[in-house]
Amino acid sequence: MTSTPPKVLVFAGSAREGSFNKQLAHLAAKRIEALGGHATFIDLKDYPCPLFDEDIEAQGMPDNVLKLRALLAEHQAVFIASPEYNGFITPLLKNTLDWLSRPYGDTPGLGLFAGKWAALVAASPGGLGGIRAMPLGQQLLANLSLTVLPQPLSLPGAGSAFTDGGTLKDEATAGKLDALCQRLVDRLAQTHR
């Protein structure tokens, strides 16, 4: 009897067409698959959600939030690639996670995140590679009851970091991404046997 590969929901904290973080998320999804996991890449641009507002919530959970909740419920981990805006996580990422953390039906607040793992990476055309927002992103994910893998990947100079085929030009950076993906797949395999 073969076990089902652990499922990882992969997305970027950027909706921009041609986003470097979407490229990095796509690449991470491919690497997770190659390393024995099952990755589902989604583009948050396909799931636009209103700015979180309890008055909106009181009228009924928005359809796209329900779709995202259903997706998250099917996965044992999230892999997030997000840029930083003025040294902080993006409003898109924060708003998405705020909606997903709300109680709904029989699921208590934060219930969708309980027992799940998270990996965080960031890409930026600048020299810091989104590293200023990393601790804030890790803190937010931990606050949501996710177990966050240490040693996140930061990718500076993202504008010239990718080949035309979507892989990373720098072998050392590609190795770090693989190592992070492997650690995530291994942790899931250990905890979801």
Side-chain angles (χ1 to χ4, degrees):
M1 181 176 178
T2 58
S3 60
T4 305
K7 296 178 74 174
V8 182
L9 187 62
V10 183
F11 58 91
S14 171
R16 182 177 68 83
E17 202 67 40
S19 160
F20 300 126
N21 284 278
K22 280 186 193 177
Q23 285 183 267
L24 190 54
H26 265 295
L27 181 56
K30 289 178 183 175
R31 298 311 304 146
I32 288 167
E33 291 276 346
L35 294 166
H38 176 78
T40 305
F41 174 85
I42 61 169
D43 189 339
L44 293 183
K45 193 168 195 167
D46 296 330
Y47 302 89
C49 300
L51 186 64
F52 176 73
D53 182 335
E54 288 185 357
D55 290 338
I56 294 173
E57 182 184 27
Q59 297 169 19
M61 200 68 82
D63 286 345
N64 283 328
V65 174
L66 292 175
K67 291 174 185 175
L68 288 170
R69 289 179 63 88
L71 280 166
L72 180 58
E74 295 172 358
H75 294 77
Q76 291 83 47
V78 294
F79 192 107
I80 301 170
S82 185
E84 65 175 42
Y85 289 176
N86 298 317
F88 282 74
I89 60 171
T90 65
L92 174 63
L93 178 58
K94 178 69 165 64
N95 191 58
T96 300
L97 294 174
D98 284 344
W99 274 115
L100 292 173
S101 71
R102 301 299 295 169
Y104 183 75
D106 295 333
T107 306
L110 306 185
L112 279 179
F113 296 102
K116 296 187 192 301
W117 289 80
L120 185 63
V121 296
S124 169
L128 296 179
I131 199 166
R132 294 179 299 174
M134 283 286 191
L136 300 168
Q138 289 177 302
Q139 179 183 348
L140 173 58
L141 295 173
N143 288 348
L144 294 173
S145 300
L146 289 155
T147 302
V148 186
L149 287 178
Q151 299 173 310
L153 173 69
S154 171
L155 180 64
S160 59
F162 296 92
T163 67
D164 291 340
T167 60
L168 290 168
K169 293 178 182 176
D170 182 67
E171 288 185 13
T173 305
K176 289 177 183 176
L177 178 63
D178 268 8
L180 180 60
C181 293
Q182 185 70 69
R183 289 201 312 275
L184 182 59
V185 170
D186 289 349
R187 292 292 187 278
L188 291 172
Q190 291 166 10
T191 55
H192 293 89
R193 289 180 180 173

